[in-house]
Amino acid sequence: MTGTIVDVPGVLVGHAHNEETLTGCSVIMLEKPSVCGVDVRGSAPGTRETDLLDPVNLVSVVHAICLSGGSAYGLDAATGVMQYLEERGIGLDVGYGVVPIVPAAVLFDLAVGDYRVRPDRQMGYEAAQAASRETVAQGNVGAGTGASVGKLNGFGNAMKSGLGTASVILPNGLVVGAIVAVNAVGHVVDPQSGTILAGPRDEQGTIRDSLEMMRKHAFAPIPPGTNTTIAVVASNARLSKAEANKVAQMAHDGLARAIRPIHTMYDGDTVFAVATDEIEASVDLVGALSTDVLAEAVIQAVKHAEEAGGLPSYRSYFQA
C-alpha cells in the first residue's frame, strides 16, 4: 500500500511539468476501459468530454483522465494522451481505428511562472508515457506545479499549493483513492483540528480566514476563472455509470470539508469518479470513502507543496 491513488487496482499515474515556468499536467491511466462519472460544481470550469459521462449518453467507459494547468489552453494536453493511447491501439473501436476516450479538466496557473508556457500535446504525451503504479509524487508536480490557494487579498498574498493523493483499503479488498490539484480561491483547513494550513495572507504575512474576510468585505477583486480544484476519485468497485456520477457528486463533500469557501463563482471545481469493476460495493460506501480520501488528498496537496513563484507554502510557516 502506497497511500496514493495507485493502490486502486488498474490505476496508474504519470506527471509531466516544467519547473521553470511552473505548469504541468497529470494523467490517470487505466489498465482497462473503466466506468466513469463526473460532477462539476464550480462556476468557471474548463473541461473536455464531460457531457459524454452523463448516464443518458452512449459511451460508458474511459481510457484515461487528464488533469492539467494552463487554463483552457491546457486542454490540449489531453490530445497528447489520446495520441499515446492510439499508438498502442487503445480506445473505442469505431471501425476506422480507435478513438481513446480521455476526459480532462484544467486549472488556472497562468499567474504563477511564465503564462506564455502552458501544458500542450507533447506534455500530455510525456505524462501518459510516465504513467506507472509507483508511489505518486506529490506537491509541486504535474497539474499541481503552478497551483495556489488563498486569493482573497490579491494574488501576491496567496500561498503555494500543489497536487495531493490518498487512499484507503478495506479488509474485503475494496480500495478507494483520490488525486487532486488544489488551486482554490479560498483557504485550506484541517477538518480535524480546524487549523488553517494555507490561505490569504495580510500585510504582516499572517494567514487569514477567507470567510471572515468576506464577512467584513475586506477582500480584493478576483478575476473570473482564475481558480479551480480538479480531482479524480477511483475505486475497484463494480458500479454503473449512474452510480459513478453519484460517487463524484458525493466526493465533492471532501472538497467542502477542507476548502473554504468552495464552488464559488471564481472556481471551476470538477471531480471525476472511476470504477474498475472488481468488487461488489454499495454506491453509498464508495461515495463516503471517496469523500474521506479526497479531503485527505487536499491536505496532502498543501503539506507537500514547496515555496515557488514568490509564494510561500505550508512548509514555509509550519516546518521552517
Side-chain angles (χ1 to χ4, degrees), residues 36 47-50 52-53 61-67 78 101-105 272:
C36 185
T47 58
R48 169 171 167 163
E49 295 278 36
T50 50
L52 184 70
L53 303 181
V61 297
V62 305
H63 303 93
I65 299 172
C66 183
L67 305 179
I101 306 301
V102 184
F272 296 97

Side-chain angles (χ1 to χ4, degrees), residues 150-155 157 185-187 199-203 208-224 227 260-261 264-266:
K151 322 294 175 58
L152 286 179
N153 198 26
F155 182 79
N157 291 311
V185 69
H187 64 266
R201 297 171 296 129
D202 61 21
E203 285 64 30
R208 313 303 300 187
D209 184 313
S210 301
L211 296 178
E212 189 62 28
M213 293 176 68
M214 294 176 74
R215 290 189 189 101
K216 295 179 179 179
H217 301 282
F219 58 92
I222 306 167
N227 306 281
R260 302 175 187 172
T264 73
M265 296 299 292
Y266 307 100

Side-chain angles (χ1 to χ4, degrees), residues 54-258:
D54 189 309
V56 304
N57 292 329
L58 178 62
V59 178
S60 60
V61 297
V62 305
H63 303 93
I65 299 172
C66 183
L67 305 179
S68 180
S71 190
Y73 295 107
L75 290 171
D76 188 38
T79 304
V81 182
M82 289 185 69
Q83 178 186 346
Y84 177 87
L85 292 169
E86 183 189 21
E87 290 175 357
R88 288 152 182 79
I90 300 171
L92 181 66
D93 187 350
V94 293
Y96 300 89
V98 297
V99 178
I101 306 301
V102 184
V106 295
L107 57 78
F108 183 96
D109 58 5
L110 303 183
V112 181
D114 188 343
Y115 71 91
R116 296 166 297 183
V117 178
R118 286 91 58 159
D120 57 11
R121 180 176 185 148
Q122 180 61 32
M123 189 177 283
Y125 188 96
E126 292 171 1
Q129 198 171 37
S132 75
R133 297 208 61 186
E134 296 182 5
T135 302
V136 181
Q138 302 182 67
N140 297 17
V141 296
T145 303
S148 56
V149 296
K151 322 294 175 58
L152 286 179
N153 198 26
F155 182 79
N157 291 311
M159 289 182 66
K160 188 69 180 68
S161 181
L163 180 137
T165 178
S167 69
V168 62
I169 300 177
L170 297 193
N172 70 348
L174 177 66
V175 187
V176 180
I179 187 168
V180 59
V182 183
N183 193 62
V185 69
H187 64 266
V188 174
V189 62
D190 183 334
Q192 300 299 319
S193 66
T195 302
I196 297 177
L197 306 178
R201 297 171 296 129
D202 61 21
E203 285 64 30
Q204 288 72 46
T206 303
I207 304 174
R208 313 303 300 187
D209 184 313
S210 301
L211 296 178
E212 189 62 28
M213 293 176 68
M214 294 176 74
R215 290 189 189 101
K216 295 179 179 179
H217 301 282
F219 58 92
I222 306 167
T226 52
N227 306 281
T228 286
T229 295
I230 50 180
V232 177
V233 295
S235 73
N236 60 340
R238 188 167 294 127
L239 300 177
S240 68
K241 193 176 177 183
E243 289 172 329
N245 274 271
K246 182 60 180 179
V247 168
Q249 182 187 86
M250 294 176 68
H252 270 282
D253 287 352
L255 299 184
R257 289 179 189 173

